[in-house]
Amino acid sequence: MSNYNYAKEKYAKYGVDCDKAIEVLKNVPISMHCWQGDDVLGFDTEGALTGGIQTTGNYPGRATTPAELMADMDKVFSLVPGKKKVNLHACYAIFEDGNRVDRDKIAPEHFKKWLDFAKERGMGIDFNPTFFSHPMVKDNLTLSSPDENVRKFWIEHGKRCIEISQYFAEETGVPCVMNIWIPDGFKDIPADRLGPRKRFKESLDEILSIPFDKSKVYITIESKVFGIGMESYTVGSAEFCMNYVNTNGITPLMDNGHYHPTEVVSDKISSMLLFNEKVALHVTRGVRWDSDHVVLLDDETKEIAKEIVAADALDRVFIATDYFDASINRISAWTTGMRSVQKALLAALLTPHKMMKDLQDENNLTKLMVMNEEMKTMPFGEVWEEYLKQENVPCDYYAEVVKYEEEVLSKR
Ligand code: RNT
Ligand code: ZN
């Protein structure tokens, strides 16, 4: 008997259909963040990464041009099974000679190459306005700045990004998730907490006042508890964002690095699903803080996947990755994180949720604990390998990474 058939039999005992789990997983899109490849630097400015987020390390081989970044993403795509989307930031605009513009003037033409890249690979695109790493970020503030010129610049940027998002959606035929995250905040105790939030609210209202097709562009806002240098106060707090999305018919985005370390996004998903048509996620791994380490197959990643699958909400949750490690091979970092998300989803799809829920409702919590432990030693790896085989993706991607490093990255 093949290993896979052995695994199938074991799972069948609990009423789990492995073939079906694989088929479902093949069609769950994971939006891959482009910014792991170049340490979140982008192509539109020369300066360093700002906004209270940080990459550490200087492993050689960082992508420095659009062609390099696209080649690296292609390598990762070849090592990651399943359906992918390309997740871009506005700072990845590609300017040809003479058409360079500032962020308040970017247009679809500056993203034509990305569109072609995604289309050729049969992928949709998600998009993010870039409210950081730019001279118009004044005193760590953008859409909430007391300076009207600063706010206006970033409002225009937001509007341009909606237009670009709609262009991506129309051209690819796949809806585009456009995520708004602003770094705005204060290092120390603010005198006025209300004012910046009021200005952020008004700026968002203005951005969202331009006409766009809500069936094609899903606007999300991402909350955050603190940033580096913005430890005492962030304008886009959880309460601000949750209330704003609910009163304006847009979508919440939860990044699991953006909460107090004892809070878990896995516990938040069900509540958000009850009150929102769609929910968006940034899957990351915070180590003691919002450190954006590479996602691993750890307990919380598995629990997040379990919550989505058990709620039968795979078609209501936009899953995107968001981490950046510059201390190891970036192709490997990207691949490990993307595969970890997929592994977590597969583990969730191989769990007999109905049986487990019944045990809870019958108050048979003893058996529930036993079953939960039982699931941990099921032959999950055999099903994962079968999935990779069907998707034509190597099991041992490390060898591929080493080869790519020797042939491509080391020559940069
Ligand atoms: C920052 C947010 C945000 C960024 C990206 C680059 O804390 O997580 O999503 O990581 O937009
Ligand atoms: Zn994020």
Side-chain angles (χ1 to χ4, degrees):
M1 197 191 320
S2 76
N3 288 351
Y4 180 54
N5 281 334
Y6 163 77
K8 264 170 76 164
E9 275 187 13
K10 284 212 85 169
Y11 277 104
K13 277 194 203 142
Y14 297 102
V16 172
D17 181 340
C18 293
D19 290 335
K20 198 173 145 213
I22 289 176
E23 280 320 304
V24 171
L25 186 55
K26 280 180 189 169
N27 291 305
V28 179
I30 310 292
S31 190
M32 189 176 96
H33 62 309
C34 73
W35 50 93
Q36 165 61 71
D38 76 330
D39 311 340
V40 211
L41 289 172
F43 305 128
D44 73 340
T45 48
E46 301 293 312
L49 174 63
T50 66
I53 54 177
Q54 207 172 50
T55 51
T56 51
N58 58 352
Y59 198 85
R62 179 177 80 79
T64 56
T65 64
E68 286 177 355
L69 189 60
M70 287 179 190
D72 290 358
M73 288 170 81
D74 260 340
K75 188 69 211 170
V76 178
F77 291 152
S78 75
L79 303 175
V80 175
K83 198 167 165 175
K84 274 89 70 182
K85 267 181 115 176
V86 177
N87 200 1
L88 295 178
H89 244 284
C91 62
Y92 291 82
I94 301 176
F95 300 118
E96 313 286 347
D97 324 318
N99 81 349
R100 179 171 285 274
V101 292
D102 209 344
R103 288 194 195 158
D104 58 338
K105 303 236 161 41
I106 49 168
E109 62 182 279
H110 307 116
F111 293 88
K112 170 84 172 62
K113 286 205 171 141
W114 282 113
L115 175 73
D116 294 342
F117 176 78
K119 266 171 106 172
E120 279 160 21
R121 287 150 189 80
M123 294 179 192
I125 305 177
D126 291 331
F127 199 51
N128 305 260
T130 310
F131 295 101
F132 53 84
S133 306
H134 190 281
M136 278 304 270
V137 181
K138 299 277 194 224
D139 308 322
N140 289 334
L141 302 173
T142 63
L143 291 175
S144 76
S145 169
D147 180 336
E148 197 185 341
N149 286 329
V150 171
R151 284 202 311 280
K152 276 201 170 138
F153 176 86
W154 291 110
I155 288 167
E156 285 310 306
H157 178 56
K159 289 181 175 175
R160 298 292 80 73
C161 286
I162 294 183
E163 289 159 2
I164 294 163
S165 298
Q166 182 143 333
Y167 157 79
F168 284 150
E170 278 164 0
E171 296 290 326
T172 60
V174 183
C176 174
V177 177
M178 189 193 102
N179 179 47
I180 297 177
W181 169 71
I182 58 162
D184 301 32
F186 289 100
K187 181 182 173 79
D188 225 318
I189 305 162
D192 177 17
R193 289 187 161 87
L194 186 64
R197 289 191 172 130
K198 184 166 179 287
R199 291 190 290 268
F200 183 29
K201 179 174 179 282
E202 286 162 0
S203 296
L204 285 171
D205 290 348
E206 273 204 55
I207 292 172
L208 296 175
S209 72
I210 66 158
F212 65 95
D213 185 338
K214 287 197 162 187
S215 70
K216 293 183 179 148
V217 179
Y218 287 88
I219 308 279
T220 65
I221 50 175
E222 178 180 11
S223 66
K224 187 166 175 173
V225 65
F226 83 95
I228 304 173
M230 278 153 280
E231 286 85 357
S232 295
Y233 168 88
T234 51
V235 180
S237 62
E239 295 73 19
F240 176 94
C241 293
M242 219 187 290
N243 281 298
Y244 192 88
V245 299
N246 284 327
T247 48
N248 291 277
I250 59 168
T251 301
L253 186 145
M254 295 187 291
D255 178 312
N256 58 301
H258 289 192
Y259 299 87
H260 185 280
T262 62
E263 278 182 82
V264 278
V265 162
S266 55
D267 186 57
K268 300 175 189 294
I269 291 172
S270 48
S271 300
M272 299 308 265
L273 284 171
L274 284 172
F275 296 98
N276 294 276
E277 183 204 331
K278 305 274 187 191
V279 172
L281 298 179
H282 270 181
V283 186
T284 186
R285 180 168 56 104
V287 178
R288 304 191 191 282
W289 68 287
D290 181 30
S291 59
D292 286 299
H293 279 64
V294 175
V295 174
L296 302 177
L297 183 63
D298 56 14
D299 286 350
E300 174 58 2
T301 310
K302 283 197 260 186
E303 199 66 14
I304 287 173
K306 177 191 126 188
E307 285 298 311
I308 302 169
V309 172
D312 197 19
L314 279 170
D315 57 345
R316 291 174 58 206
V317 180
F318 298 119
I319 306 172
T321 46
D322 180 17
Y323 51 81
F324 20 95
D325 192 337
S327 73
I328 55 173
N329 179 299
R330 293 172 187 79
I331 310 297
S332 188
W334 239 331
T335 307
T336 301
M338 286 288 286
R339 284 167 72 125
S340 298
V341 175
Q342 298 245 346
K343 280 183 187 164
L345 287 167
L346 182 61
L349 288 163
L350 292 172
T351 303
H353 298 291
K354 169 80 174 65
M355 183 208 276
M356 313 278 254
K357 281 180 199 171
D358 288 347
L359 290 172
Q360 176 177 320
D361 291 345
E362 292 155 11
N363 199 35
N364 194 345
L365 304 180
T366 307
K367 187 168 178 195
L368 180 57
M369 184 191 279
V370 173
M371 283 297 304
N372 264 321
E373 290 307 290
E374 187 71 16
M375 285 301 125
K376 291 182 185 169
T377 51
M378 290 289 282
F380 165 78
E382 316 296 348
V383 187
W384 172 250
E385 281 185 19
E386 173 67 19
Y387 174 52
L388 294 179
K389 198 169 97 193
Q390 291 185 22
E391 288 284 285
N392 236 330
V393 163
C395 272
D396 171 16
Y397 62 91
Y398 179 69
E400 292 284 322
V401 167
V402 170
K403 192 161 165 258
Y404 190 75
E405 179 164 312
E406 276 165 16
E407 289 171 2
V408 181
L409 301 179
S410 66
K411 309 222 160 86
R412 286 181 182 162

